[in-house]
Amino acid sequence: MYDTPIAEVARITYRLPAFDVSRLAPLPVIVSETEYLDMIYNPHHEVEYDPSAPFETYLKLELANPHSRAKKMERWKVYQARIQAVRKEITEDEVRHLDGRTVRQAKADAAFKWRETVREDQKKNKKARWMHSARMVKWQRKAKKKAAKEERLRKQLTGLTLADEPNQVLPTLLKERMKERCL
């Protein structure tokens, strides 16, 4: 009645992890998420994978909400540390190379360069998010459809011919061109 045999459904496939209960025993090594996915999608590759390790450890990143307050704060702190490191580096470089300026002026120039660097970095990141590959494919598809539609309309208008009717009036210039074409 069903695709899967009942014996297969009733079979127990989950095995408890084989941990050593001793406190001195080393903890099992957990492979990274990418290595685990490589092992699943490319089983012919040699990846160190312990089948006795609990499956949940491989899903810990997927099970954690990436939009949680703690994750957002962690990302924000990393970003702040990165831009402050850039500020410190730019300031040290400017103070090292005074070129006739005072230290105060060099620090002011460094602050300006740092603000510009951060602004450019934000613009670049914003554009990178904006130029997402799926969105680019969608834009290319829309542009292609739009061009095809314009070409179709142009062909329809180019091939448009009106039947000669008594109520039609053709300008004299158009009549002359039509006569030239016929000759």
Side-chain angles (χ1 to χ4, degrees):
M1 185 170 178
Y2 296 104
D3 292 340
T4 309
I6 295 175
E8 188 66 27
V9 172
R11 189 168 65 99
I12 298 173
T13 57
Y14 182 77
R15 295 185 196 97
L16 291 174
F19 289 127
D20 192 354
V21 292
S22 169
R23 289 186 181 182
L24 301 175
L27 293 173
V29 177
I30 300 171
V31 296
S32 70
E33 181 181 6
T34 54
E35 290 173 341
Y36 177 71
L37 292 174
D38 286 343
M39 186 274 308
I40 288 179
Y41 294 121
N42 303 314
H44 57 280
H45 290 324
E46 293 294 324
V47 178
E48 293 182 21
Y49 166 66
D50 182 12
S52 67
F55 184 72
E56 293 81 15
T57 59
Y58 298 111
L59 296 176
K60 68 180 180 196
L61 295 176
E62 294 178 13
L63 294 175
N65 182 5
H67 305 294
S68 67
R69 184 192 60 79
K71 294 268 182 165
K72 286 180 182 178
M73 181 173 276
E74 183 181 337
R75 287 192 300 266
W76 181 79
K77 285 181 178 180
V78 168
Y79 173 73
Q80 290 299 319
R82 190 176 76 237
I83 64 172
Q84 292 306 322
V86 169
R87 181 185 59 81
K88 185 177 179 183
E89 180 183 317
I90 291 173
T91 304
E92 287 174 356
D93 186 50
E94 287 294 317
V95 170
R96 207 176 307 120
H97 302 97
L98 289 175
D99 297 331
R101 300 175 293 175
T102 63
V103 173
R104 182 176 178 175
Q105 182 61 36
K107 285 184 178 181
D109 291 345
F112 174 77
K113 285 183 181 180
W114 172 71
R115 281 191 299 274
E116 290 298 312
T117 303
V118 169
R119 192 173 296 128
E120 289 299 318
D121 188 41
Q122 288 172 344
K123 283 182 184 177
K124 185 178 71 173
N125 290 340
K126 188 175 184 180
K127 188 167 186 177
R129 285 192 307 269
W130 183 58
M131 301 299 262
H132 192 269
S133 61
R135 188 178 288 176
M136 292 299 292
V137 169
K138 181 180 176 183
W139 286 345
Q140 289 171 350
R141 188 174 57 244
K142 284 178 76 176
K144 188 177 176 183
K145 283 184 177 181
K146 188 175 181 181
K149 182 178 179 181
E150 288 176 358
E151 180 66 22
R152 200 170 45 249
L153 284 173
R154 190 185 62 75
K155 282 184 180 178
Q156 284 179 354
L157 290 175
T158 303
L160 182 66
T161 55
L162 298 174
D164 290 333
E165 297 290 333
N167 63 347
Q168 291 179 354
V169 177
L170 291 175
T172 55
L173 183 63
L174 185 59
K175 285 182 184 177
E176 292 173 7
R177 285 188 184 166
M178 290 178 68
K179 286 180 184 178
E180 289 174 5
R181 285 186 185 169
C182 293
L183 296 176

